[in-house]
Amino acid sequence: MAEQKATNVTWHEHHVSKEQRCQQNGHKGAVLWFTGLSGSGKSTIANTVDHKLFEKGKHTFVLDGDNVRMGLNKNLGFSPEDRTENIRRIGEVSKLYTDAGILVMTAFISPYREDRDQVREILGDGEFIEIFVKASLETCEERDPKGLYKKARAGEIKGFTGIDAPYEEPEKAELILDSDGKGIDELADEVVAYLESNGYLTYP
Ligand SMILES: Nc1ncnc2c1ncn2[C@@H]1O[C@H](COP(=O)(O)OS(=O)(=O)O)[C@@H](OP(=O)(O)O)[C@H]1O
Ligand SMILES: Nc1ncnc2c1ncn2[C@@H]1O[C@H](COP(=O)(O)OP(=O)(O)O)[C@@H](O)[C@H]1O
Protein backbone atom coordinates (compact mmCIF):
# COMPACT_ATOMS: atom_id res chain seq x y z
CA MET A 1 0.00 0.00 0.00
CA ALA A 2 1.30 3.50 -0.82
CA GLU A 3 2.70 5.48 2.10
CA GLN A 4 1.05 8.76 3.05
CA LYS A 5 3.52 11.56 2.28
CA ALA A 6 1.70 14.60 3.71
CA THR A 7 2.03 15.07 7.45
CA ASN A 8 0.02 18.11 8.62
CA VAL A 9 -3.36 16.84 7.42
CA THR A 10 -6.43 16.13 9.55
CA TRP A 11 -9.40 13.89 8.74
CA HIS A 12 -12.70 15.83 8.62
CA GLU A 13 -15.92 14.10 9.55
CA HIS A 14 -18.79 14.83 7.16
CA HIS A 15 -21.91 16.51 8.54
CA VAL A 16 -24.10 14.25 6.43
CA SER A 17 -23.25 10.61 7.13
CA LYS A 18 -22.98 7.77 4.64
CA GLU A 19 -25.99 6.16 6.34
CA GLN A 20 -28.09 9.30 5.82
CA ARG A 21 -27.12 9.39 2.16
CA CYS A 22 -28.02 5.71 1.72
CA GLN A 23 -31.31 6.32 3.54
CA GLN A 24 -32.17 9.12 1.15
CA ASN A 25 -31.09 7.11 -1.90
CA GLY A 26 -33.05 4.10 -0.68
CA HIS A 27 -30.19 1.67 -1.32
CA LYS A 28 -26.66 0.85 -0.21
CA GLY A 29 -23.43 2.18 -1.63
CA ALA A 30 -20.99 -0.43 -2.96
CA VAL A 31 -18.43 -1.07 -5.66
CA LEU A 32 -19.10 -3.71 -8.29
CA TRP A 33 -15.56 -4.55 -9.32
CA PHE A 34 -15.59 -6.18 -12.77
CA THR A 35 -12.28 -7.89 -13.58
CA GLY A 36 -11.24 -9.95 -16.59
CA LEU A 37 -9.22 -10.02 -19.77
CA SER A 38 -9.44 -7.30 -22.38
CA GLY A 39 -12.51 -8.14 -24.46
CA SER A 40 -14.09 -10.34 -21.80
CA GLY A 41 -17.07 -7.98 -21.58
CA LYS A 42 -16.38 -5.92 -18.44
CA SER A 43 -17.29 -2.58 -19.91
CA THR A 44 -20.37 -3.71 -21.84
CA ILE A 45 -21.78 -5.68 -18.91
CA ALA A 46 -21.03 -2.87 -16.41
CA ASN A 47 -22.79 -0.34 -18.63
CA THR A 48 -25.77 -2.66 -19.13
CA VAL A 49 -26.07 -3.17 -15.36
CA ASP A 50 -25.74 0.60 -14.90
CA HIS A 51 -28.60 1.17 -17.34
CA LYS A 52 -30.83 -1.43 -15.68
CA LEU A 53 -30.20 0.04 -12.21
CA PHE A 54 -30.63 3.61 -13.45
CA GLU A 55 -34.03 2.64 -14.84
CA LYS A 56 -34.95 1.29 -11.41
CA GLY A 57 -34.16 4.74 -9.96
CA LYS A 58 -30.85 3.74 -8.35
CA HIS A 59 -27.87 6.09 -8.03
CA THR A 60 -25.08 4.56 -10.09
CA PHE A 61 -21.93 5.37 -12.05
CA VAL A 62 -19.40 3.52 -14.23
CA LEU A 63 -15.64 4.02 -14.07
CA ASP A 64 -14.16 2.60 -17.23
CA GLY A 65 -10.54 1.64 -17.95
CA ASP A 66 -9.93 3.51 -21.17
CA ASN A 67 -11.77 6.65 -20.00
CA VAL A 68 -9.97 6.90 -16.65
CA ARG A 69 -6.65 6.38 -18.39
CA MET A 70 -7.36 9.46 -20.53
CA GLY A 71 -7.85 11.65 -17.46
CA LEU A 72 -7.09 10.87 -13.81
CA ASN A 73 -4.53 8.20 -14.73
CA LYS A 74 -3.10 9.64 -17.94
CA ASN A 75 0.40 9.52 -16.41
CA LEU A 76 0.26 5.72 -16.04
CA GLY A 77 1.22 3.00 -18.50
CA PHE A 78 1.01 -0.80 -18.33
CA SER A 79 4.11 -1.79 -16.35
CA PRO A 80 3.24 -3.89 -13.27
CA GLU A 81 3.94 -0.85 -11.03
CA ASP A 82 1.72 1.45 -13.09
CA ARG A 83 -1.11 -1.10 -13.17
CA THR A 84 -0.88 -1.36 -9.38
CA GLU A 85 -1.05 2.42 -9.01
CA ASN A 86 -3.92 2.55 -11.52
CA ILE A 87 -5.92 0.09 -9.42
CA ARG A 88 -5.00 1.79 -6.13
CA ARG A 89 -6.33 5.13 -7.40
CA ILE A 90 -9.50 3.59 -8.81
CA GLY A 91 -9.98 1.81 -5.48
CA GLU A 92 -9.78 5.12 -3.63
CA VAL A 93 -12.13 6.81 -6.09
CA SER A 94 -14.60 3.91 -5.75
CA LYS A 95 -14.47 4.32 -2.00
CA LEU A 96 -15.46 7.97 -2.37
CA TYR A 97 -18.43 6.96 -4.52
CA THR A 98 -19.41 4.28 -2.03
CA ASP A 99 -19.22 6.80 0.82
CA ALA A 100 -21.54 9.01 -1.21
CA GLY A 101 -24.08 6.15 -1.21
CA ILE A 102 -23.62 5.30 -4.88
CA LEU A 103 -23.42 1.91 -6.58
CA VAL A 104 -20.27 2.31 -8.63
CA MET A 105 -19.19 -0.13 -11.33
CA THR A 106 -15.54 -0.38 -12.32
CA ALA A 107 -14.32 -2.03 -15.51
CA PHE A 108 -10.56 -2.56 -15.26
CA ILE A 109 -8.54 -5.62 -16.16
CA SER A 110 -6.97 -5.39 -12.67
CA PRO A 111 -4.79 -8.43 -13.39
CA TYR A 112 -3.12 -8.75 -9.98
CA ARG A 113 -4.93 -10.53 -7.14
CA GLU A 114 -3.01 -8.56 -4.52
CA ASP A 115 -4.12 -5.22 -6.02
CA ARG A 116 -7.78 -6.28 -6.01
CA ASP A 117 -7.43 -7.54 -2.44
CA GLN A 118 -6.01 -4.16 -1.39
CA VAL A 119 -9.11 -2.46 -2.75
CA ARG A 120 -11.30 -4.98 -0.91
CA GLU A 121 -9.42 -4.05 2.27
CA ILE A 122 -9.99 -0.30 2.00
CA LEU A 123 -13.74 -0.78 1.55
CA GLY A 124 -16.14 -1.69 4.35
CA ASP A 125 -17.65 -5.12 4.91
CA GLY A 126 -19.79 -6.16 1.96
CA GLU A 127 -18.97 -2.98 0.03
CA PHE A 128 -16.60 -4.70 -2.42
CA ILE A 129 -18.26 -7.08 -4.84
CA GLU A 130 -15.68 -8.79 -7.03
CA ILE A 131 -17.18 -9.89 -10.32
CA PHE A 132 -15.03 -12.13 -12.51
CA VAL A 133 -16.00 -11.74 -16.15
CA LYS A 134 -14.78 -15.10 -17.30
CA ALA A 135 -13.98 -15.53 -20.96
CA SER A 136 -11.27 -17.68 -22.48
CA LEU A 137 -8.34 -16.02 -24.21
CA GLU A 138 -9.59 -17.63 -27.46
CA THR A 139 -12.97 -15.89 -27.12
CA CYS A 140 -11.34 -12.54 -26.32
CA GLU A 141 -8.93 -12.83 -29.23
CA GLU A 142 -11.78 -13.67 -31.54
CA ARG A 143 -13.75 -10.61 -30.38
CA ASP A 144 -10.69 -8.32 -30.44
CA PRO A 145 -12.85 -5.18 -30.91
CA LYS A 146 -9.87 -2.82 -30.83
CA GLY A 147 -7.46 -5.06 -32.78
CA LEU A 148 -5.10 -5.06 -29.78
CA TYR A 149 -4.61 -8.84 -29.56
CA LYS A 150 -3.61 -8.85 -33.21
CA LYS A 151 -1.05 -6.15 -32.50
CA ALA A 152 0.18 -7.98 -29.39
CA ARG A 153 0.59 -11.23 -31.35
CA ALA A 154 2.53 -9.31 -33.99
CA GLY A 155 4.82 -7.94 -31.27
CA GLU A 156 3.62 -4.36 -31.80
CA ILE A 157 2.35 -4.12 -28.19
CA LYS A 158 4.57 -5.46 -25.43
CA GLY A 159 3.25 -6.68 -22.08
CA PHE A 160 -0.32 -7.28 -23.22
CA THR A 161 -2.47 -9.05 -20.62
CA GLY A 162 -3.05 -12.70 -21.52
CA ILE A 163 -0.32 -12.72 -24.17
CA ASP A 164 2.93 -11.68 -22.50
CA ALA A 165 1.64 -10.23 -19.22
CA PRO A 166 -0.21 -12.20 -16.53
CA TYR A 167 -3.86 -12.29 -15.50
CA GLU A 168 -4.43 -13.78 -12.05
CA GLU A 169 -7.94 -15.19 -11.83
CA PRO A 170 -9.96 -14.31 -8.71
CA GLU A 171 -10.13 -16.96 -6.00
CA LYS A 172 -12.90 -15.43 -3.94
CA ALA A 173 -15.09 -13.56 -6.40
CA GLU A 174 -18.62 -12.90 -5.19
CA LEU A 175 -19.85 -13.57 -8.71
CA ILE A 176 -18.45 -15.36 -11.78
CA LEU A 177 -20.01 -14.48 -15.12
CA ASP A 178 -19.75 -17.01 -17.93
CA SER A 179 -19.00 -14.63 -20.79
CA ASP A 180 -18.03 -17.52 -23.12
CA GLY A 181 -21.45 -19.09 -22.87
CA LYS A 182 -23.99 -16.37 -22.13
CA GLY A 183 -25.06 -13.07 -23.67
CA ILE A 184 -24.67 -9.58 -22.22
CA ASP A 185 -28.28 -9.13 -21.13
CA GLU A 186 -28.47 -12.44 -19.28
CA LEU A 187 -25.18 -11.71 -17.48
CA ALA A 188 -26.29 -8.20 -16.51
CA ASP A 189 -29.52 -9.71 -15.11
CA GLU A 190 -27.40 -12.10 -12.99
CA VAL A 191 -25.63 -9.10 -11.47
CA VAL A 192 -28.88 -7.27 -10.72
CA ALA A 193 -30.33 -10.47 -9.19
CA TYR A 194 -27.23 -10.78 -6.97
CA LEU A 195 -27.68 -7.20 -5.75
CA GLU A 196 -31.38 -7.77 -5.11
CA SER A 197 -30.97 -11.02 -3.22
CA ASN A 198 -28.13 -9.64 -1.10
CA GLY A 199 -30.03 -6.55 -0.01
CA TYR A 200 -28.01 -3.93 -1.89
CA LEU A 201 -30.98 -2.33 -3.58
CA THR A 202 -32.78 -1.35 -0.38
CA TYR A 203 -31.83 0.56 2.77
CA PRO A 204 -31.50 -0.22 5.62
N1 LIG B 1 -0.45 -3.78 -22.54
C1 LIG B 1 -1.78 -3.75 -22.36
N2 LIG B 1 -2.38 -4.72 -21.61
C2 LIG B 1 -3.70 -4.68 -21.43
N3 LIG B 1 -4.54 -3.72 -21.94
C3 LIG B 1 -3.97 -2.74 -22.69
C4 LIG B 1 -2.59 -2.72 -22.92
N4 LIG B 1 -2.31 -1.63 -23.69
C5 LIG B 1 -3.48 -1.01 -23.92
N5 LIG B 1 -4.49 -1.66 -23.33
C6 LIG B 1 -5.88 -1.16 -23.32
O1 LIG B 1 -6.09 -0.64 -22.01
C7 LIG B 1 -7.22 -1.25 -21.39
C8 LIG B 1 -6.86 -1.81 -20.02
O2 LIG B 1 -6.69 -0.80 -19.09
P1 LIG B 1 -6.90 -1.08 -17.55
O3 LIG B 1 -6.73 0.23 -16.88
O4 LIG B 1 -8.17 -1.80 -17.37
O5 LIG B 1 -5.67 -2.07 -17.23
S1 LIG B 1 -5.10 -2.52 -15.82
O6 LIG B 1 -6.23 -2.81 -14.94
O7 LIG B 1 -4.28 -1.42 -15.27
O8 LIG B 1 -4.27 -3.70 -16.09
C9 LIG B 1 -7.66 -2.38 -22.28
O9 LIG B 1 -9.04 -2.13 -22.39
P2 LIG B 1 -10.17 -3.24 -22.17
O10 LIG B 1 -10.20 -3.94 -23.46
O11 LIG B 1 -11.38 -2.41 -21.94
O12 LIG B 1 -9.87 -4.11 -21.01
C10 LIG B 1 -6.94 -2.17 -23.59
O13 LIG B 1 -7.81 -1.56 -24.51
N1 LIG C 1 -21.03 -12.31 -23.21
C1 LIG C 1 -20.84 -11.77 -24.40
N2 LIG C 1 -21.41 -12.29 -25.49
C2 LIG C 1 -21.20 -11.74 -26.71
N3 LIG C 1 -20.44 -10.65 -26.95
C3 LIG C 1 -19.84 -10.08 -25.91
C4 LIG C 1 -20.01 -10.59 -24.59
N4 LIG C 1 -19.29 -9.81 -23.75
C5 LIG C 1 -18.71 -8.86 -24.51
N5 LIG C 1 -19.04 -9.01 -25.81
C6 LIG C 1 -18.57 -8.16 -26.92
O1 LIG C 1 -17.16 -8.22 -26.87
C7 LIG C 1 -16.60 -6.93 -27.12
C8 LIG C 1 -15.69 -6.54 -25.98
O2 LIG C 1 -16.45 -6.25 -24.84
P1 LIG C 1 -16.00 -5.13 -23.81
O3 LIG C 1 -17.15 -4.90 -22.90
O4 LIG C 1 -15.43 -3.95 -24.51
O5 LIG C 1 -14.84 -5.90 -23.03
P2 LIG C 1 -13.78 -5.36 -21.97
O6 LIG C 1 -14.34 -4.11 -21.35
O7 LIG C 1 -13.65 -6.47 -20.98
O8 LIG C 1 -12.53 -5.12 -22.75
C9 LIG C 1 -17.77 -5.99 -27.34
O9 LIG C 1 -17.96 -5.84 -28.72
C10 LIG C 1 -18.94 -6.71 -26.70
O10 LIG C 1 -20.16 -6.40 -27.33
Side-chain angles (χ1 to χ4, degrees):
M1 202 34 114
E3 290 290 316
Q4 181 176 316
K5 275 195 188 162
T7 46
N8 295 309
V9 287
T10 315
W11 181 262
H12 288 262
E13 287 306 329
H14 293 168
H15 290 194
V16 181
S17 70
K18 172 158 69 172
E19 290 69 27
Q20 285 172 304
R21 291 180 200 280
C22 291
Q23 189 88 46
Q24 190 170 72
N25 287 348
H27 59 82
K28 298 198 174 83
V31 50
L32 281 72
W33 191 277
F34 292 86
T35 172
L37 293 172
S38 175
S40 57
K42 302 179 295 295
S43 181
T44 315
I45 299 167
N47 278 286
T48 306
V49 173
D50 183 39
H51 196 196
K52 286 177 186 278
L53 293 176
F54 182 81
E55 296 216 310
K56 285 176 182 282
K58 310 301 174 193
H59 297 72
T60 58
F61 197 66
V62 178
L63 295 171
D64 191 276
D66 282 337
N67 296 358
V68 171
R69 278 179 172 280
M70 287 181 191
L72 175 67
N73 290 349
K74 60 162 53 159
N75 62 331
L76 300 177
F78 289 93
S79 67
E81 298 73 27
D82 279 8
R83 289 183 198 246
T84 294
E85 177 60 11
N86 183 39
I87 297 314
R88 187 190 71 79
R89 288 185 200 171
I90 303 309
E92 293 288 353
V93 172
S94 323
K95 183 173 163 48
L96 296 176
Y97 274 94
T98 303
D99 287 348
I102 290 167
L103 290 161
V104 58
M105 279 141 270
T106 66
F108 297 84
I109 296 177
S110 42
Y112 301 117
R113 209 172 283 137
E114 196 182 333
D115 295 348
R116 297 190 301 263
D117 286 347
Q118 294 274 16
V119 180
R120 184 185 286 274
E121 244 172 62
I122 65 168
L123 282 144
D125 258 1
E127 286 180 345
F128 181 80
I129 306 165
E130 190 172 16
I131 302 173
F132 178 25
V133 184
K134 192 168 184 185
S136 65
L137 182 62
E138 294 67 42
T139 298
C140 296
E141 275 201 82
E142 215 166 276
R143 288 180 187 158
D144 204 11
K146 304 171 195 159
L148 297 180
Y149 282 103
K150 202 161 171 247
K151 282 191 182 162
R153 288 285 186 202
E156 290 165 29
I157 304 177
K158 300 279 180 225
F160 196 80
T161 307
I163 306 295
D164 55 352
Y167 178 77
E168 299 171 0
E169 294 196 356
E171 285 172 344
K172 50 187 175 205
E174 275 70 17
L175 210 51
I176 299 175
L177 302 180
D178 173 16
S179 185
D180 278 324
K182 297 179 186 173
I184 304 283
D185 207 58
E186 190 179 353
L187 296 173
D189 282 341
E190 283 181 22
V191 177
V192 175
Y194 176 88
L195 295 175
E196 263 163 0
S197 62
N198 286 278
Y200 285 95
L201 301 187
T202 52
Y203 195 85

